[in-house]
Amino acid sequence: MNQKTHESAEDYLETILMLHEENDYVRSIDIVNKMGYKKSSVSVAMKNLRENGYITVNEHGFIDLTPEGRKIAEMIYERHKFFSDWLTGLGVDKVIAVDDACRVEHDLSEESFAAIKKFVNDYNKDKS
């Protein structure tokens, strides 16, 4: 899987997780509406995610994350929230902070993310 495909899959998984936080169920049309993609693009992505074991789709078209899909989605979502909040706290415009967080969340290693998160949390503790 190339980097762009990997990022796209992570974005879809993150979106499914966020939609599940808003509703009891998620359908492809909910993803279309949230992400602004074409129905055909979302359909292909859901097929790929299902075939790779990241989601399940029941007979009613409801989408659920598998344990592996949830693990990836939660990791990306945690990074997204962390970087969005951190950048906003530094005075970056919210729209820019969210956009930048979307880029950073995919490319940073687990080790670097853990180090940045620890540094920021330690710094915030020292300030309190």
PDB file of all heavy atoms in Angstrom, residues 13-29:
ATOM      1  N   LEU A  13     -11.114   5.443   8.280  1.00  0.00           N
ATOM      2  CA  LEU A  13     -11.300   4.788   9.576  1.00  0.00           C
ATOM      3  C   LEU A  13     -11.562   5.815  10.672  1.00  0.00           C
ATOM      4  O   LEU A  13     -12.448   5.631  11.514  1.00  0.00           O
ATOM      5  CB  LEU A  13     -10.083   3.925   9.915  1.00  0.00           C
ATOM      6  CG  LEU A  13      -9.869   2.713   9.013  1.00  0.00           C
ATOM      7  CD1 LEU A  13      -8.526   2.066   9.302  1.00  0.00           C
ATOM      8  CD2 LEU A  13     -11.001   1.706   9.145  1.00  0.00           C
ATOM      9  N   GLU A  14     -10.823   6.915  10.642  1.00  0.00           N
ATOM     10  CA  GLU A  14     -11.022   7.982  11.615  1.00  0.00           C
ATOM     11  C   GLU A  14     -12.430   8.570  11.482  1.00  0.00           C
ATOM     12  O   GLU A  14     -13.113   8.813  12.484  1.00  0.00           O
ATOM     13  CB  GLU A  14      -9.973   9.080  11.412  1.00  0.00           C
ATOM     14  CG  GLU A  14     -10.115  10.243  12.363  1.00  0.00           C
ATOM     15  CD  GLU A  14      -9.149  11.376  12.059  1.00  0.00           C
ATOM     16  OE1 GLU A  14      -8.661  11.495  10.911  1.00  0.00           O
ATOM     17  OE2 GLU A  14      -8.907  12.170  12.973  1.00  0.00           O
ATOM     18  N   THR A  15     -12.878   8.773  10.256  1.00  0.00           N
ATOM     19  CA  THR A  15     -14.216   9.315  10.013  1.00  0.00           C
ATOM     20  C   THR A  15     -15.293   8.373  10.527  1.00  0.00           C
ATOM     21  O   THR A  15     -16.268   8.808  11.151  1.00  0.00           O
ATOM     22  CB  THR A  15     -14.414   9.607   8.513  1.00  0.00           C
ATOM     23  OG1 THR A  15     -13.448  10.591   8.110  1.00  0.00           O
ATOM     24  CG2 THR A  15     -15.816  10.105   8.218  1.00  0.00           C
ATOM     25  N   ILE A  16     -15.116   7.081  10.300  1.00  0.00           N
ATOM     26  CA  ILE A  16     -16.080   6.091  10.796  1.00  0.00           C
ATOM     27  C   ILE A  16     -16.146   6.155  12.320  1.00  0.00           C
ATOM     28  O   ILE A  16     -17.240   6.156  12.909  1.00  0.00           O
ATOM     29  CB  ILE A  16     -15.729   4.670  10.305  1.00  0.00           C
ATOM     30  CG1 ILE A  16     -15.911   4.585   8.783  1.00  0.00           C
ATOM     31  CG2 ILE A  16     -16.573   3.612  11.022  1.00  0.00           C
ATOM     32  CD1 ILE A  16     -15.286   3.357   8.149  1.00  0.00           C
ATOM     33  N   LEU A  17     -14.994   6.255  12.966  1.00  0.00           N
ATOM     34  CA  LEU A  17     -14.958   6.368  14.425  1.00  0.00           C
ATOM     35  C   LEU A  17     -15.686   7.625  14.898  1.00  0.00           C
ATOM     36  O   LEU A  17     -16.512   7.564  15.817  1.00  0.00           O
ATOM     37  CB  LEU A  17     -13.508   6.386  14.923  1.00  0.00           C
ATOM     38  CG  LEU A  17     -13.320   6.536  16.427  1.00  0.00           C
ATOM     39  CD1 LEU A  17     -13.811   5.296  17.161  1.00  0.00           C
ATOM     40  CD2 LEU A  17     -11.855   6.798  16.754  1.00  0.00           C
ATOM     41  N   MET A  18     -15.413   8.750  14.270  1.00  0.00           N
ATOM     42  CA  MET A  18     -16.063  10.007  14.654  1.00  0.00           C
ATOM     43  C   MET A  18     -17.574   9.921  14.443  1.00  0.00           C
ATOM     44  O   MET A  18     -18.347  10.395  15.281  1.00  0.00           O
ATOM     45  CB  MET A  18     -15.474  11.180  13.873  1.00  0.00           C
ATOM     46  CG  MET A  18     -14.049  11.491  14.266  1.00  0.00           C
ATOM     47  SD  MET A  18     -13.323  12.987  13.529  1.00  0.00           S
ATOM     48  CE  MET A  18     -13.726  12.864  11.817  1.00  0.00           C
ATOM     49  N   LEU A  19     -18.003   9.327  13.341  1.00  0.00           N
ATOM     50  CA  LEU A  19     -19.433   9.187  13.078  1.00  0.00           C
ATOM     51  C   LEU A  19     -20.093   8.276  14.108  1.00  0.00           C
ATOM     52  O   LEU A  19     -21.235   8.519  14.519  1.00  0.00           O
ATOM     53  CB  LEU A  19     -19.671   8.671  11.660  1.00  0.00           C
ATOM     54  CG  LEU A  19     -19.418   9.688  10.554  1.00  0.00           C
ATOM     55  CD1 LEU A  19     -19.377   9.007   9.182  1.00  0.00           C
ATOM     56  CD2 LEU A  19     -20.484  10.785  10.566  1.00  0.00           C
ATOM     57  N   HIS A  20     -19.377   7.234  14.532  1.00  0.00           N
ATOM     58  CA  HIS A  20     -19.917   6.347  15.569  1.00  0.00           C
ATOM     59  C   HIS A  20     -20.087   7.082  16.891  1.00  0.00           C
ATOM     60  O   HIS A  20     -20.975   6.733  17.680  1.00  0.00           O
ATOM     61  CB  HIS A  20     -19.033   5.107  15.764  1.00  0.00           C
ATOM     62  CG  HIS A  20     -19.483   3.934  14.977  1.00  0.00           C
ATOM     63  ND1 HIS A  20     -20.689   3.304  15.190  1.00  0.00           N
ATOM     64  CD2 HIS A  20     -18.897   3.268  13.950  1.00  0.00           C
ATOM     65  CE1 HIS A  20     -20.821   2.306  14.343  1.00  0.00           C
ATOM     66  NE2 HIS A  20     -19.747   2.264  13.565  1.00  0.00           N
ATOM     67  N   GLU A  21     -19.253   8.081  17.145  1.00  0.00           N
ATOM     68  CA  GLU A  21     -19.404   8.871  18.363  1.00  0.00           C
ATOM     69  C   GLU A  21     -20.651   9.750  18.301  1.00  0.00           C
ATOM     70  O   GLU A  21     -21.224  10.095  19.328  1.00  0.00           O
ATOM     71  CB  GLU A  21     -18.166   9.736  18.604  1.00  0.00           C
ATOM     72  CG  GLU A  21     -16.959   8.936  19.035  1.00  0.00           C
ATOM     73  CD  GLU A  21     -15.745   9.798  19.347  1.00  0.00           C
ATOM     74  OE1 GLU A  21     -15.791  11.035  19.133  1.00  0.00           O
ATOM     75  OE2 GLU A  21     -14.759   9.233  19.823  1.00  0.00           O
ATOM     76  N   GLU A  22     -21.079  10.098  17.086  1.00  0.00           N
ATOM     77  CA  GLU A  22     -22.256  10.946  16.898  1.00  0.00           C
ATOM     78  C   GLU A  22     -23.549  10.147  16.786  1.00  0.00           C
ATOM     79  O   GLU A  22     -24.613  10.634  17.139  1.00  0.00           O
ATOM     80  CB  GLU A  22     -22.094  11.783  15.620  1.00  0.00           C
ATOM     81  CG  GLU A  22     -20.916  12.739  15.648  1.00  0.00           C
ATOM     82  CD  GLU A  22     -20.626  13.359  14.281  1.00  0.00           C
ATOM     83  OE1 GLU A  22     -21.466  13.224  13.351  1.00  0.00           O
ATOM     84  OE2 GLU A  22     -19.555  13.962  14.142  1.00  0.00           O
ATOM     85  N   ASN A  23     -23.470   8.928  16.235  1.00  0.00           N
ATOM     86  CA  ASN A  23     -24.662   8.111  15.948  1.00  0.00           C
ATOM     87  C   ASN A  23     -24.423   6.665  16.358  1.00  0.00           C
ATOM     88  O   ASN A  23     -23.286   6.218  16.467  1.00  0.00           O
ATOM     89  CB  ASN A  23     -24.967   8.128  14.443  1.00  0.00           C
ATOM     90  CG  ASN A  23     -25.144   9.531  13.913  1.00  0.00           C
ATOM     91  OD1 ASN A  23     -25.996  10.273  14.380  1.00  0.00           O
ATOM     92  ND2 ASN A  23     -24.324   9.905  12.947  1.00  0.00           N
ATOM     93  N   ASP A  24     -25.514   5.925  16.502  1.00  0.00           N
ATOM     94  CA  ASP A  24     -25.404   4.505  16.828  1.00  0.00           C
ATOM     95  C   ASP A  24     -24.939   3.682  15.633  1.00  0.00           C
ATOM     96  O   ASP A  24     -24.411   2.593  15.795  1.00  0.00           O
ATOM     97  CB  ASP A  24     -26.754   3.956  17.311  1.00  0.00           C
ATOM     98  CG  ASP A  24     -27.137   4.497  18.677  1.00  0.00           C
ATOM     99  OD1 ASP A  24     -26.225   4.892  19.434  1.00  0.00           O
ATOM    100  OD2 ASP A  24     -28.341   4.532  18.975  1.00  0.00           O
ATOM    101  N   TYR A  25     -25.164   4.197  14.444  1.00  0.00           N
ATOM    102  CA  TYR A  25     -24.803   3.445  13.250  1.00  0.00           C
ATOM    103  C   TYR A  25     -24.164   4.370  12.222  1.00  0.00           C
ATOM    104  O   TYR A  25     -24.356   5.579  12.246  1.00  0.00           O
ATOM    105  CB  TYR A  25     -26.024   2.749  12.651  1.00  0.00           C
ATOM    106  CG  TYR A  25     -27.123   3.706  12.262  1.00  0.00           C
ATOM    107  CD1 TYR A  25     -27.135   4.306  11.011  1.00  0.00           C
ATOM    108  CD2 TYR A  25     -28.151   4.019  13.155  1.00  0.00           C
ATOM    109  CE1 TYR A  25     -28.133   5.209  10.654  1.00  0.00           C
ATOM    110  CE2 TYR A  25     -29.149   4.906  12.804  1.00  0.00           C
ATOM    111  CZ  TYR A  25     -29.133   5.497  11.554  1.00  0.00           C
ATOM    112  OH  TYR A  25     -30.117   6.383  11.198  1.00  0.00           O
ATOM    113  N   VAL A  26     -23.381   3.759  11.334  1.00  0.00           N
ATOM    114  CA  VAL A  26     -22.730   4.499  10.255  1.00  0.00           C
ATOM    115  C   VAL A  26     -23.015   3.773   8.948  1.00  0.00           C
ATOM    116  O   VAL A  26     -22.894   2.551   8.869  1.00  0.00           O
ATOM    117  CB  VAL A  26     -21.193   4.580  10.482  1.00  0.00           C
ATOM    118  CG1 VAL A  26     -20.506   5.255   9.307  1.00  0.00           C
ATOM    119  CG2 VAL A  26     -20.877   5.298  11.778  1.00  0.00           C
ATOM    120  N   ARG A  27     -23.403   4.554   7.946  1.00  0.00           N
ATOM    121  CA  ARG A  27     -23.619   4.019   6.605  1.00  0.00           C
ATOM    122  C   ARG A  27     -22.681   4.745   5.646  1.00  0.00           C
ATOM    123  O   ARG A  27     -22.136   5.802   5.976  1.00  0.00           O
ATOM    124  CB  ARG A  27     -25.064   4.244   6.159  1.00  0.00           C
ATOM    125  CG  ARG A  27     -26.106   3.611   7.072  1.00  0.00           C
ATOM    126  CD  ARG A  27     -27.469   4.214   6.862  1.00  0.00           C
ATOM    127  NE  ARG A  27     -27.381   5.649   7.135  1.00  0.00           N
ATOM    128  CZ  ARG A  27     -28.230   6.560   6.685  1.00  0.00           C
ATOM    129  NH1 ARG A  27     -29.255   6.211   5.959  1.00  0.00           N
ATOM    130  NH2 ARG A  27     -28.080   7.838   6.961  1.00  0.00           N
ATOM    131  N   SER A  28     -22.536   4.198   4.470  1.00  0.00           N
ATOM    132  CA  SER A  28     -21.673   4.829   3.462  1.00  0.00           C
ATOM    133  C   SER A  28     -22.101   6.258   3.172  1.00  0.00           C
ATOM    134  O   SER A  28     -21.259   7.150   3.017  1.00  0.00           O
ATOM    135  CB  SER A  28     -21.667   4.017   2.163  1.00  0.00           C
ATOM    136  OG  SER A  28     -20.954   2.828   2.338  1.00  0.00           O
ATOM    137  N   ILE A  29     -23.405   6.504   3.121  1.00  0.00           N
ATOM    138  CA  ILE A  29     -23.895   7.849   2.815  1.00  0.00           C
ATOM    139  C   ILE A  29     -23.478   8.850   3.904  1.00  0.00           C
ATOM    140  O   ILE A  29     -23.223  10.023   3.610  1.00  0.00           O
ATOM    141  CB  ILE A  29     -25.435   7.877   2.593  1.00  0.00           C
ATOM    142  CG1 ILE A  29     -25.875   9.207   1.981  1.00  0.00           C
ATOM    143  CG2 ILE A  29     -26.187   7.573   3.862  1.00  0.00           C
ATOM    144  CD1 ILE A  29     -25.339   9.474   0.597  1.00  0.00           C
TER     145      ILE A  29
END
